Amino acid sequence: MTVPTTIRVLLADDQAMVRGGLRLILEDQPDISVVAEASDGAEAVALARRLRPDVCLVDIRMPRLDGIEVTRALAGPGVPDPLRVIVVTTFDLDEYVYGALRGGAVGFILKDAGPVLLVEAVRAASAGDALISPSVTLRLLRRLTAAGAPAARGPARPLSERETEVVRAIARGRTNQEIAAELFISLSTVKSHISGIQTKLGMRNRVEIAAWAWEHHIMAPE
């Protein structure tokens, strides 16, 4: 008999009431367990490095180290074995979102997004995917494009037509399952394309791919 896999989560937020609410939402799911809580950024980094949770939910504004610093410490460039970090915050500010995603976060969820999206984000991160609150995704990326964000590097090898279609879908916040349905290809083929795209672009996750797509005007705003 196969034992169900439990997603181990660390919560980091300086408000005990918020941590309690997040814990209630997550532990109501049969496949998610909260293994630790941290009330400040430094504690979050220490606990995460010791416990190696599957997913870290991190608030932006915390004492000692803020959420972006925590993200960089756990998942940023140069981290040899990065953890999966999702930023959960009430502050829908562009600099926070962009800083978190560039710091290595695989998700950015607003606290008012609702429990369903929170749970989906945890499961997506655990599976190696990424999820950003829909209210954030297109607005943020459009603004980055309009503001003339610093151009990211181009691909080492040109993207194929199919890879470009996948990049556009990622930039619109589509999940792997949605991409497979839209392009009439299998889920394994989607994953294979994403792996190839990451190699060509030198990127670690789909969030970085989305930012790259908008910076390079790969897709026109809807």
Side-chain angles (χ1 to χ4, degrees):
M1 180 178 177
T2 303
V3 178
T5 301
T6 299
I7 302 170
R8 301 167 62 251
V9 177
L10 177 144
L11 299 177
D13 193 295
D14 61 339
Q15 297 184 47
M17 186 177 296
V18 172
R19 294 198 308 274
L22 293 174
R23 177 185 281 272
L24 284 174
I25 292 170
L26 295 175
E27 294 204 323
D28 190 45
Q29 305 300 313
D31 59 335
I32 299 175
S33 175
V34 176
V35 296
E37 295 183 18
S39 59
D40 65 63
E43 183 184 16
V45 171
L47 283 171
R49 286 174 173 169
R50 178 165 60 88
L51 299 174
R52 304 291 304 176
D54 300 304
V55 178
C56 301
L57 290 180
V58 178
D59 188 27
I60 280 286
R61 293 186 178 178
M62 293 187 294
R64 300 172 72 187
L65 294 177
D66 65 26
I68 294 177
E69 291 173 311
V70 171
T71 300
R72 288 176 183 153
L74 298 179
V79 176
D81 191 12
L83 292 167
R84 292 162 182 157
V85 178
I86 299 171
V87 172
V88 186
T89 183
T90 55
F91 302 103
D92 182 11
L93 300 178
D94 291 347
E95 59 268 29
Y96 286 165
V97 181
Y98 195 60
L101 300 183
R102 280 303 189 201
V106 297
F108 192 100
I109 304 296
L110 300 181
K111 289 178 180 175
D112 63 0
V116 172
L117 193 64
L118 176 68
V119 171
E120 285 181 0
V122 169
R123 288 179 177 146
S126 176
D129 209 335
L131 194 154
I132 306 173
S133 288
S135 63
V136 172
T137 309
L138 292 181
R139 181 189 57 77
L140 168 72
L141 294 175
R142 283 174 182 158
R143 189 168 296 180
L144 288 173
T145 303
R153 59 191 176 280
R157 288 179 290 139
L159 299 177
S160 68
E161 183 177 347
R162 179 62 88 187
E163 286 172 337
T164 301
E165 290 176 333
V166 172
V167 167
R168 289 190 181 113
I170 290 173
R172 289 190 173 94
R174 305 295 193 260
T175 65
N176 286 357
Q177 290 81 1
E178 290 170 337
I179 294 172
E182 287 179 7
L183 300 182
F184 302 101
I185 55 180
S186 69
L187 186 58
S188 62
T189 300
V190 173
K191 292 179 180 178
S192 178
H193 282 314
I194 292 175
S195 177
I197 292 164
Q198 288 175 326
T199 298
K200 287 184 177 180
L201 298 181
M203 311 238 166
R204 296 183 304 167
N205 58 56
R206 66 197 296 116
V207 174
E208 291 183 353
I209 292 172
W212 178 89
W214 281 84
E215 289 169 357
H216 281 78
H217 306 276
I218 298 300
M219 55 175 290
E222 294 177 334

